[in-house]
Amino acid sequence: MTNFGHERGGASGHSEDIPEMFGVGLSRRRMIQGSLLAAFGTLVLPRIVGCAEEGPESILRFDMEGAAARPYAVGALQSTYLTMRDGVKIALDVVLPEGDGADTKLDTILVMTRYWRGEKGQTSNKYANLFAPHGYAVVVGDVRGTGASFGQWPHHRARAETLDYGEVIDWIAKQPWSKGSVVGYGLSYTANTADWMAERNNPVLKGIVPRFADYDPYEDLYFPGGIQNAYMGRNWGTSVKAMDRNLILDDNLQPTTTPGVRPVGAGGEADLQAALRDHEHAPSVWDGLQQVTFKDDRPASWNGDSFRDFSIQEVSDRVDRAGTPIQNWAGWFDAGTAQGAVRRFVRQSNPMNVIIGPWEHGGFYPYDPLRAPSEAIPPTTPSQEANDIRFADSCFNGSASRENGKVLHYYTLGAGTWKTTQTWPPPATRRRWYLASGFRLTPSPDQAGFDSLTVDRAAGDVTANRWATNNGNGKVDYGDRRPFDAARLAYTSEPLTGDLEITGHPIVELNVTSTREDGAFFVYLEAVSPNGVSRYLTEGQLRALHRKVWTESPFSALGPQHSFLKGDAEPLIPGQAAMVTFTMHPISALLRAGDRLRVCLAGSDVTTFANVPADGAPPIVQFQRGPTGCNIDLPITESE
């Protein structure tokens, strides 16, 4: 999905909240260039490595600064029900900017949310407050089975829900205030609804801006490496089911005081109560998630659907045929959104601007563990908004659809710079490092041997991790990893003799022997500074059951892939050596001379993930060393 969240801060759930400062942006009519130096004082501005087709007028550029006047006031909110093809009524808010004549035709921003259009008593919604001041009409709807809409919500983006998006778009085109042009927008769950708008191939849709979306919800969020993200499934599933009963839960999953979702119209309370009775017929999505092991499992409560039925990755060919321009944002530290952004970039042919930064879920709190916390990292939130407004304008005026090609902009940790590429992975030399005796990480293997790990079912990780941020936990901060590493198997290199840049997907090969038929393998890549502090860079994980490599994957160029399908299951044979190989989450990081590399191996993380196996004796795993032993391949760009 990418991510999910509801529209109140501080409550449990995948957070979509947009800070107050996200309302200071870029006018549709003109950009007023600002200065980060003026706003933040001393700052190292990023180095931009441009591509041949990227220029000052290209939609594929990425501006580091800029914020602009907001020439319009936010008009009055009007709400209405729109009846779908099957009789289900969908609740919509419509907000127009003030200041134009009654006959003015407007471009429209459409947001379909799973987290309420707004609360009772609110006179606007956050999306109207964001976009109406730039001269757009804004339509925000509760997806079916949620908020004040009727129907049932069995799971993310069920087919009935995604078909609704096309009908809403058609309705917008017929309104007297509409130019007949729509851009889909969203962050988290609403980013995923924007993605599915493009799947409808509706000519009224001129572009989409999915911010921090889950390109494949199984691999990018709920089952990374095939291991159940129990924290997300349980907390988020419980929270949104409560919302469908008109409740907001706190971080401990306890009800809070809330006026409830905003009814439709002044006399809409009776309709709201009827809609809430409709919602009761759908069980919590967490019930279904607990019945999933494979990507093609079909829980009874999902009406015969599987994860493949609501993954936009699975229908990328249909999005390609639509040719819809896309501006996609992701974060190195936001679950698997960076992995999904890279896959989107590799797989799809749409005109595309992909931006991957050092962010948590939402892009509000940059995190660069290789630089001082006091160092500012552009673009700020207003400048991110400026990029989105500029992109939306290019979609509405037609220039976006005339673009040929796609561009990926990415931030390099430690360097404090942004770079641009038209290909992924960027040019690099793959360099292999082996696990060696004495818990060393070396470029040359030593003699054969093994290290043994008895999996500790109670071992966890920091709570401010890349997975928790998707459930409204805000900032990511892994801190000093030494206490974590000391309780696991950690292998450390000699100090680097020169600067070294890692950009791309590290690849792990684990030659293992286990006492159990299944298990969870977690691998963490870290940078150790000369003072001994170990800093998190990225991670990868794989459930042993899914270890069969999918040789026909469209993403094989990124590293070994896995289908996660039931027919490809390949359990371990206890006592027999097996190869477990997988691709880690992508990263770009510059390590300095004197730093050391560290690879840490673990078999559990109960802070986030379900234990594998769920019961019985904990696995005892032998990790083989030597020429055919465990290793990690790093994509290296030598620093100039």
Side-chain angles (χ1 to χ4, degrees):
M1 309 156 330
T2 163
N3 308 338
F4 317 117
H6 48 70
E7 303 189 3
R8 279 174 61 94
S12 179
H14 205 114
S15 175
E16 287 182 352
D17 290 338
I18 299 176
E20 294 283 339
M21 63 180 180
F22 207 50
V24 183
L26 178 70
S27 168
R28 292 179 61 238
R29 283 134 173 104
R30 63 189 180 94
M31 178 189 293
I32 299 175
Q33 292 297 328
S35 171
L36 287 172
L37 288 174
F40 296 103
T42 303
L43 168 66
V44 178
L45 286 176
R47 173 172 58 94
I48 304 297
V49 180
C51 67
E53 296 183 9
E54 185 193 17
E57 302 306 319
S58 172
I59 70 159
L60 304 182
R61 75 181 192 270
F62 179 42
D63 298 328
M64 289 297 107
E65 57 185 73
R70 296 156 61 85
Y72 296 92
V74 178
L77 181 146
Q78 300 182 24
S79 57
T80 186
Y81 275 118
L82 178 62
T83 302
M84 297 292 102
R85 64 213 165 273
D86 57 358
V88 171
K89 295 192 294 184
I90 302 300
L92 301 176
D93 284 347
V94 180
V95 177
L96 308 181
E98 288 186 349
D100 287 325
D103 297 330
T104 301
K105 302 291 188 180
L106 301 169
D107 297 315
T108 302
I109 301 293
L110 172 61
V111 180
M112 296 298 295
T113 183
R114 201 253 170 276
Y115 311 115
W116 299 359
R117 307 162 355 268
E119 288 189 347
K120 186 183 299 183
Q122 291 178 340
T123 58
S124 185
N125 63 61
K126 65 181 183 181
Y127 297 106
N129 295 342
L130 174 60
F131 287 109
H134 300 294
Y136 298 118
V138 182
V139 176
V140 182
D142 291 325
V143 303
R144 74 165 52 205
T146 77
S149 288
F150 287 74
Q152 289 83 47
W153 188 91
H155 60 76
H156 312 77
R157 298 170 297 284
R159 193 53 173 163
E161 176 189 331
T162 60
L163 290 174
D164 292 344
Y165 307 158
E167 294 192 44
V168 174
I169 291 171
D170 287 339
W171 176 83
I172 291 171
K174 297 173 183 176
Q175 299 312 298
W177 41 261
S178 173
K179 279 187 178 180
S181 52
V182 171
V183 164
Y185 176 88
L187 187 160
S188 194
Y189 193 99
T190 53
N192 296 299
T193 65
D195 267 334
W196 280 90
M197 291 176 199
E199 181 267 346
R200 301 309 307 133
N201 200 1
N202 191 317
V204 174
L205 186 73
K206 304 304 180 183
I208 59 172
V209 182
R211 294 177 57 89
F212 305 88
D214 301 313
Y215 193 60
D216 184 89
Y218 181 98
E219 295 184 56
D220 295 348
L221 184 60
Y222 282 111
F223 288 84
I227 307 169
Q228 184 190 72
N229 182 347
Y231 174 87
M232 181 67 193
R234 177 181 58 252
N235 288 32
W236 187 82
T238 303
S239 294
V240 296
K241 183 57 187 176
M243 294 186 77
D244 298 342
R245 295 172 173 146
N246 215 20
L247 298 171
I248 293 289
L249 302 185
D250 64 18
D251 291 338
N252 296 315
L253 302 183
Q254 297 301 309
T256 64
T257 301
T258 174
V261 66
R262 179 171 51 238
V264 172
E269 190 63 37
D271 280 333
L272 175 59
Q273 294 306 313
L276 294 173
R277 289 193 292 272
D278 255 8
H279 301 172
E280 285 294 331
H281 298 292
S284 168
V285 70
W286 176 227
D287 294 348
L289 288 169
Q290 293 176 86
Q291 301 171 41
V292 170
T293 298
F294 301 97
K295 192 180 281 190
D296 52 350
D297 281 340
R298 300 181 183 277
S301 60
W302 289 7
N303 300 327
D305 291 338
S306 73
F307 263 97
R308 302 183 73 183
D309 292 295
F310 56 91
S311 167
I312 200 69
Q313 176 178 288
E314 295 285 339
V315 295
S316 59
D317 58 335
R318 299 210 290 267
V319 179
D320 273 352
R321 286 198 294 271
T324 307
I326 301 170
Q327 180 151 288
N328 174 219
W329 300 72
W332 293 134
F333 303 111
D334 176 23
T337 62
Q339 171 178 272
V342 167
R343 287 183 172 186
R344 182 197 301 264
F345 183 76
V346 169
R347 180 77 177 268
Q348 294 189 216
S349 60
N350 305 62
M352 190 181 307
N353 213 27
V354 174
I355 304 159
I356 306 177
W359 296 310
E360 52 24 283
H361 186 58
F364 307 127
Y365 308 107
Y367 174 62
D368 185 342
L370 303 184
R371 294 171 70 83
S374 59
E375 294 185 74
I377 301 175
T380 62
T381 308
S383 296
Q384 292 180 41
E385 176 197 339
N387 280 277
D388 285 342
I389 299 294
R390 176 180 52 76
F391 185 83
D393 273 343
S394 71
C395 294
F396 287 128
N397 67 32
S399 61
S401 62
R402 294 190 293 270
E403 280 283 352
N404 293 314
K406 48 192 175 181
V407 169
L408 190 153
H409 311 272
Y410 63 96
Y411 177 89
T412 299
L413 304 175
T417 61
W418 285 88
K419 300 176 184 177
T420 298
T421 182
Q422 291 177 283
T423 61
W424 191 275
T429 300
R430 300 208 71 93
R431 188 178 302 173
R432 180 165 293 185
W433 299 74
Y434 294 85
L435 308 191
S437 59
F439 296 102
R440 295 174 297 124
L441 187 66
T442 68
S444 300
D446 66 357
Q447 294 181 346
F450 67 87
D451 293 314
S452 182
L453 175 70
T454 300
V455 173
D456 180 358
R457 295 182 185 278
D461 204 342
V462 299
T463 56
N465 64 58
R466 69 188 299 148
W467 308 105
T469 182
N470 284 264
N471 200 53
N473 282 29
K475 296 180 180 180
V476 169
D477 187 356
Y478 281 90
D480 185 351
R481 302 292 288 169
R482 282 179 291 184
F484 176 89
D485 298 343
R488 293 155 179 83
L489 301 182
Y491 300 81
T492 308
S493 74
E494 293 296 319
L496 300 174
T497 58
D499 292 353
L500 180 145
E501 181 185 314
I502 302 168
T503 296
H505 299 257
I507 296 172
V508 173
E509 288 186 345
L510 301 178
N511 188 341
V512 301
T513 304
S514 177
T515 58
R516 297 296 306 271
E517 71 286 350
D518 202 359
F521 293 92
F522 297 89
V523 179
Y524 303 86
L525 179 63
E526 301 167 13
V528 183
S529 62
N531 66 3
V533 174
S534 192
R535 297 153 294 173
Y536 174 98
L537 297 179
T538 190
E539 68 184 65
Q541 52 275 121
L542 185 69
R543 182 173 177 174
L545 185 67
H546 302 295
R547 64 191 174 93
K548 182 178 180 180
V549 174
W550 181 22
T551 56
E552 297 181 358
S553 168
F555 307 114
S556 292
L558 305 177
Q561 306 293 317
H562 308 271
S563 73
F564 302 101
L565 302 179
K566 189 176 301 183
D568 288 332
E570 194 169 293
L572 298 171
I573 300 174
Q576 187 174 116
M579 187 64 72
V580 176
T581 181
F582 53 93
T583 303
M584 299 177 74
H585 292 275
I587 195 64
S588 181
L590 177 65
L591 280 64
R592 299 296 184 182
D595 285 347
R596 291 175 290 164
L597 291 165
R598 176 170 290 165
V599 170
C600 184
L601 309 180
S604 63
D605 172 13
V606 296
T607 304
T608 300
F609 296 98
N611 276 317
V612 181
D615 50 26
I620 302 173
V621 183
Q622 293 180 350
F623 293 90
Q624 306 298 320
R625 304 190 309 265
T628 60
C630 302
N631 63 79
I632 183 169
D633 250 6
L634 299 179
I636 302 297
T637 300
E638 297 291 350
S639 180
E640 298 177 357

